[in-house]
Amino acid sequence: MARLSLNQATIKRATVAEAVEGCVRHGIEAIGLWREPVADHGLERTAKLVADAGLRVSSLCRGGFLTAVDNRAAMDDNRRAIEEAATLRTDTLVMVVGGVAGDKDLIGARQRVADAIAELSVEAKSAGVTLALEPMHPVFCADRGVLSTLAQALDIAEKHESVGVVVDALHVWWDPDLDAQIVRAGERIASYQVCDWLTPVPADVLLGRGYPGDGDIDLDRLTRHVAATGYSRDVEVEIFNADIWAADFDEVIKEVSRRYHSIVEPAL
């Protein structure tokens, strides 16, 4: 259980205080936080709450959305996100880079991401924060992530000392080049996130995540590949699922712990 982190999105309706209390109650030592509920609770108050509870913040989500032709507002927001991550004492800011902009220029959008990351990486390094680029399943290319493969994320990350990647099982499991790219990523894996791909896919594909073991991903194999790189950081369980969100927080956390222990932990 020492490396299990509960990503706050798994219990989306919970406040920061409720999420922290749930982790402590179930012996989970780390939590992945989201900026919106942190802002609701107060940044400094959240940092103190987590520290007083003895928890690590495995990551802060999210920065990114850098693909607009005029992304000055987004750049300012990402600078704030870097500062927030440092205040929360996490070295990992998850970057959901953004979808295709209004001009429909996919190549241009990817270049704007690369240019923005180059600029932000200097400030991230100064703050002791890693910008963790999250490649997203191609179904999200239009609205959330123009980086669809681990290779595309690494092409950017490898140019900067303070930039890494997220290996999110839901987003990368389908990739025929995944094994080689995990090896390539090596120490640049800043976060490993697990859940499962549910079939049939729901109408809102964003909510198609299930508990580890409930879907089509070979999490044992994927986890072993990530572990073989020497990855020793926290493993976040991150689930977007309407039924799970509607369930009792305590029961969800209990089930997350059970699935992690039985399915993920043996492969680490």
Side-chain angles (χ1 to χ4, degrees):
M1 292 285 288
R3 292 174 62 187
L4 169 60
S5 174
L6 176 69
N7 188 286
Q8 193 176 2
T10 303
I11 50 172
K12 185 177 180 179
R13 295 185 301 110
T15 65
V16 167
E18 289 169 332
V20 167
E21 290 165 4
C23 287
V24 171
R25 190 161 54 249
H26 290 277
I28 296 173
E29 298 179 12
I31 187 168
L33 293 173
W34 282 67
R35 294 179 67 199
E36 295 82 0
V38 167
D40 289 342
H41 189 77
L43 178 61
E44 298 289 348
R45 286 182 65 210
T46 300
K48 184 177 188 305
L49 176 69
V50 172
D52 289 349
L55 300 182
R56 299 182 300 277
V57 179
S58 54
S59 72
L60 178 65
C61 196
R62 57 193 176 187
F65 291 93
L66 297 163
T67 54
V69 175
D70 182 355
N71 64 8
R72 286 175 293 181
M75 292 293 285
D76 289 342
D77 184 62
N78 277 275
R79 293 184 180 99
R80 288 191 293 271
I82 291 168
E83 294 174 358
E84 291 164 18
T87 299
L88 293 167
R89 299 187 183 93
T90 179
D91 62 0
T92 303
L93 176 63
V94 175
M95 302 293 286
V96 177
V97 299
V100 178
D103 61 0
K104 301 184 181 180
D105 180 4
L106 177 57
I107 294 173
R110 287 174 175 153
Q111 185 59 53
R112 288 191 287 274
V113 169
D115 293 343
I117 293 299
E119 183 175 339
L120 291 168
S121 67
V122 178
E123 296 171 55
K125 180 180 178 181
S126 178
V129 172
T130 295
L131 305 178
L133 302 177
E134 182 168 12
M136 306 195 82
H137 192 283
V139 73
F140 298 110
C141 188
D143 63 344
R144 284 184 173 81
V146 295
L147 301 181
S148 299
T149 66
L150 194 54
Q152 289 173 324
L154 285 167
D155 286 345
I156 296 174
E158 287 175 342
K159 298 176 181 177
H160 310 288
E161 184 179 342
S162 57
V163 182
V165 295
V166 179
V167 176
D168 183 321
L170 183 98
H171 291 308
V172 303
W173 72 281
W174 59 274
D175 186 352
D177 197 34
L178 182 59
D179 291 358
Q181 295 305 319
I182 287 175
V183 172
R184 175 187 171 191
E187 294 181 354
R188 287 194 182 268
I189 301 177
S191 179
Y192 179 44
Q193 298 179 333
V194 297
C195 65
D196 221 327
W197 179 281
L198 298 181
T199 305
V201 177
D204 185 348
V205 66
L206 182 66
L207 305 184
R209 293 173 177 250
Y211 288 113
D214 280 355
D216 303 303
I217 302 175
D218 187 345
L219 283 169
D220 182 79
R221 186 176 188 277
L222 177 56
T223 302
R224 291 183 189 281
H225 276 285
V226 171
T229 69
Y231 183 82
S232 59
R233 298 167 64 88
D234 294 315
V235 178
E236 291 188 6
V237 176
E238 181 187 58
I239 302 172
F240 292 72
N241 182 296
D243 291 336
I244 291 173
W245 286 346
D248 178 79
F249 304 152
D250 203 62
E251 292 303 314
V252 171
I253 298 172
K254 186 183 301 182
E255 188 62 16
V256 163
S257 299
R258 188 179 76 81
R259 299 299 184 97
Y260 171 83
H261 179 72
S262 62
I263 294 170
V264 180
E265 189 178 48
L268 291 171

